């Protein structure tokens, strides 16, 4: 058995994944069950469990994740906009305990999650 996260196993090539971006800090793969025509997960190589576990040492990493998301959205042709989601913890609906951003695009996001 391994205690590595699914995403660490994909990053390490132990499980398949469709990579759309990689640098020294983050990778991005297509979601297995896309909720939009473009659904990409931006994942830090460091297996931080969730946003709740970020600390001062992760400030650059957090910025690099956002910058990568912006670059990937451009690369994916999402010039009309997109949505970034970070599900966090049980109440946030997080299912994989390895921090990740969802980039959702390619359709109009009609679901209003905030007033
Ligand atoms: P969460 O619910 O934690 O915010 O998001 C986890 C996401 O990971 C889900 O959208 C789910 O479809 C995706 N996912 C789960 N397992 C795999 C996998 O093995 N490969 C890929 N590419 N995506 C996965």
């Amino acid at each position: 058995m391994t205690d590595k996260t699914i995403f660490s196993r994909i990053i390490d090539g132990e499980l398949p994944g469709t990579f759309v971006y990689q640098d020294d800090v983050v990778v991005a793969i297509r979601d297995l069950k896309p909720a939009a025509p473009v659904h990409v997960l931006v994942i830090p190589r460091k297996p931080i469990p969730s946003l709740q576990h970020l600390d001062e040492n992760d400030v650059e990493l957090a910025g690099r994740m956002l910058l990568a998301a912006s670059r990937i959205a451009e690369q994916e042709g999402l010039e009309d906009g997109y949505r970034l989601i970070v599900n966090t913890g049980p109440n946030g609906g997080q299912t994989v305990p390895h921090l990740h951003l969802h980039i959702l695009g390619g359709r109009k996001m009609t679901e209003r999650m905030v007033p």
Side-chain angles (χ1 to χ4, degrees):
M1 272 302 285
T2 174
D3 54 8
K4 284 166 80 170
T5 68
I6 289 174
F7 293 159
S8 287
R9 296 188 67 198
I10 293 172
I11 290 168
D12 291 346
E14 298 167 10
L15 292 173
T18 304
F19 288 81
V20 297
Y21 177 88
Q22 300 190 55
D23 66 27
D24 57 325
V25 176
V26 308
V27 307
I29 58 173
R30 296 204 187 280
D31 198 289
L32 197 60
K33 295 182 181 166
V38 174
H39 189 169
V40 171
L41 304 172
V42 182
I43 306 164
R45 293 183 185 275
K46 180 179 172 185
I48 298 167
S50 83
L51 209 55
Q52 292 171 307
H53 298 81
L54 272 191
D55 66 31
E56 303 299 329
N57 297 318
D58 300 316
V59 168
E60 183 180 345
L61 176 148
R64 295 281 296 270
M65 288 179 71
L66 279 180
L67 188 62
S70 174
R71 295 283 182 276
I72 294 158
E74 193 179 355
Q75 178 184 301
E76 294 287 321
L78 302 180
E79 55 278 340
D80 289 337
Y82 52 91
R83 184 170 285 179
L84 277 190
I85 295 176
V86 191
N87 294 326
T88 304
N91 277 4
Q94 184 178 1
T95 59
V96 176
H98 184 148
L99 177 63
H100 51 283
L101 308 176
H102 295 255
I103 303 174
L104 293 162
R107 68 169 168 83
K108 193 157 177 67
M109 297 296 147
T110 51
E111 312 90 333
R112 296 296 309 177
M113 300 302 288
V114 289

